Amino acid sequence: MSLRNILKKNEQVVFLYDSLRDFYYKNLISDEKLIRKKFKKRQGREVELNNPVNFNDKLQWLKLNWYDPLAVQCADKYEVRKFVEKRIGSSYLNEVHGVYESVKEITVDNLPKSFVLKGTHGSGFNIICKDKDKLEWKTVTKTMKRWLKSNYYWRNREWVYKDIKPRIICEKYLTEGSEMLTDYKFFCFNGEVKYCQVIRGRGENETIDFYDTYWNHMSFTGLRTLPNSRKAYERPLKYREMLELASQLSTNFPFVRVDFYYVNEQIIFGELTFFPTSGMGSFKPNEWNEKIGKMLLIDDLKNKKKSNK
């Protein structure tokens, strides 16, 4: 357990801890040094940045050597909606109840009974509210204020988040009845979908399964340490459509994970993720780190970088 989690019940201590950590990240350690330090802690080995082979090493290389302003827009939980509307149409977007630059702008009484609050400028900034009458709004307010003061870039040097305007977006709460929402996360390489990561049971009894484009269950798992489902699931009726949409949204990006929900036979866009688990996760068995790494082509980017020197 991290020191922050041990101290999290004391808001002032947490604020001081976060402030000191952010100062260290911003002023005392370079991008490459921090990446090397965190990677070794998570992976137990040095990251390979000169000639990366594994998927996670290549993601670290992309953090340091690739830049695309369109990726910044796509990492913004609100601005990405314009990108999605242009590429595949607005019918795949979830309903938005409001977008706020300050917590003071949010009037909880004006929100529906159920909703989801997200920070537009980072990862993991989510509050799922099933019943606002049971919501501890004072605690939620403190959490969102911390979000708005945070620049997620400094944590792992995912540059897509560095210049995003901090805001809160409130979206429609999606549900599949008594079942937890299922996430369909498509791993895409230059517009070509290779695998679909399916996560079920969010929050309790979570499972991860990978399928190929024909819905054949794969023999590997990752990037989080979760088991496969014990139950065999049927392919979603609109799986082929999801594959096509993921391909359209990922075109011209060396890698991006395209996330969808599938609710009442309706495909709903989730988000675009360029560095899943910040490139610190692994596939199991180990050989899949290299197999999937081969799908992420960076030679052209490396040559372009050399020619610009």
Side-chain angles (χ1 to χ4, degrees):
M1 181 179 292
S2 69
L3 177 62
R4 187 184 190 284
N5 286 336
I6 293 172
L7 301 174
K8 68 181 180 180
K9 291 184 179 180
N10 188 317
E11 289 290 332
Q12 291 181 332
V13 173
V14 169
F15 178 77
L16 177 60
Y17 175 85
D18 287 348
S19 297
L20 291 173
R21 181 194 60 189
D22 290 348
F23 178 83
Y24 170 72
Y25 284 167
K26 293 178 183 179
N27 299 284
L28 301 178
I29 188 167
S30 67
D31 291 356
E32 183 174 333
K33 188 174 180 180
L34 182 135
I35 285 171
R36 287 186 179 278
K37 181 179 178 179
K38 286 204 165 188
F39 192 91
K40 187 171 184 179
K41 183 178 180 180
R42 290 282 299 273
Q43 293 293 318
R45 65 176 177 85
E46 298 290 344
V47 62
E48 175 54 63
L49 293 174
N50 292 325
N51 295 292
V53 175
N54 286 355
F55 179 69
N56 44 19
D57 295 76
K58 286 188 175 181
L59 288 184
Q60 305 311 319
W61 187 92
L62 288 175
K63 285 184 189 178
L64 296 169
N65 297 284
W66 169 65
Y67 180 80
D68 184 341
L70 187 58
V72 176
Q73 178 188 351
C74 291
D76 186 316
K77 302 298 187 293
Y78 180 63
E79 296 298 328
V80 69
R81 294 173 61 87
K82 299 175 184 176
F83 172 80
V84 172
E85 183 174 2
K86 184 176 180 180
R87 285 272 178 110
I88 62 174
S90 60
S91 62
Y92 297 101
L93 293 170
N94 192 15
E95 181 181 343
V96 171
H97 300 306
V99 182
Y100 316 96
E101 296 184 16
S102 167
V103 176
K104 293 180 181 179
E105 298 176 13
I106 306 174
T107 304
V108 69
D109 291 341
N110 294 337
L111 297 178
K113 183 177 181 179
S114 303
F115 52 83
V116 177
L117 294 164
K118 298 179 181 180
T120 61
H121 56 298
S123 176
F125 294 165
N126 305 309
I127 293 173
I128 300 173
C129 176
K130 297 181 181 180
D131 184 351
K132 70 179 181 183
D133 293 333
K134 299 178 181 179
L135 190 68
E136 295 182 9
W137 187 246
K138 185 177 181 180
T139 301
V140 170
T141 297
K142 289 180 179 179
T143 298
M144 291 190 294
K145 284 182 178 179
R146 284 202 303 272
W147 291 352
L148 292 173
K149 292 178 180 179
S150 173
N151 187 325
Y152 192 79
Y153 160 76
W154 295 109
R155 300 186 186 186
N156 298 297
R157 306 304 160 98
E158 298 176 45
W159 52 262
V160 291
Y161 296 117
K162 186 176 183 180
D163 297 319
I164 294 177
K165 183 178 182 179
R167 288 179 287 187
I168 304 295
I169 184 171
C170 183
E171 295 182 341
K172 178 182 178 180
Y173 172 75
L174 301 174
T175 179
E176 293 180 296
S178 60
E179 298 291 330
M180 298 289 291
L181 276 183
T182 299
D183 293 307
Y184 297 90
K185 301 174 179 292
F186 294 87
F187 282 60
C188 307
F189 303 83
N190 284 306
E192 184 175 354
V193 183
K194 293 295 187 179
Y195 297 108
C196 177
Q197 180 189 49
V198 181
I199 300 182
R200 298 181 179 87
R202 284 288 192 182
E204 45 185 85
N205 301 317
E206 278 188 79
T207 59
I208 283 183
D209 296 90
F210 276 87
Y211 295 86
D212 68 10
T213 56
Y214 297 97
W215 200 251
N216 295 310
H217 191 273
M218 302 305 298
S219 60
F220 65 88
T221 188
L223 297 161
R224 296 168 58 201
T225 306
L226 291 173
N228 284 159
S229 300
R230 295 182 179 180
K231 178 181 178 182
Y233 289 89
E234 293 184 3
R235 184 177 71 175
L237 184 64
K238 294 184 178 180
Y239 185 60
R240 301 307 304 178
E241 183 178 350
M242 281 194 275
L243 290 170
E244 177 59 32
L245 295 172
S247 177
Q248 292 178 48
L249 291 174
S250 62
T251 299
N252 297 328
F253 293 128
F255 168 80
V256 66
R257 195 192 71 204
V258 182
D259 296 0
F260 291 116
Y261 298 109
Y262 188 57
V263 182
N264 298 322
E265 298 187 5
Q266 180 182 359
I267 301 169
I268 300 175
F269 172 78
E271 63 180 51
L272 298 180
T273 301
F274 293 91
F275 305 102
T277 64
S278 196
M280 303 290 180
S282 295
F283 295 101
K284 295 182 180 179
N286 186 59
E287 61 262 24
W288 281 95
N289 292 299
E290 182 174 343
K291 287 181 179 179
I292 295 180
K294 289 180 178 178
M295 300 174 188
L296 178 45
L297 306 178
I298 63 173
D299 285 348
D300 287 347
L301 296 173
K302 291 172 74 173
N303 293 332
K304 183 178 180 180
K305 181 178 173 64
K306 288 180 182 179
S307 65
N308 289 336
K309 286 185 177 180

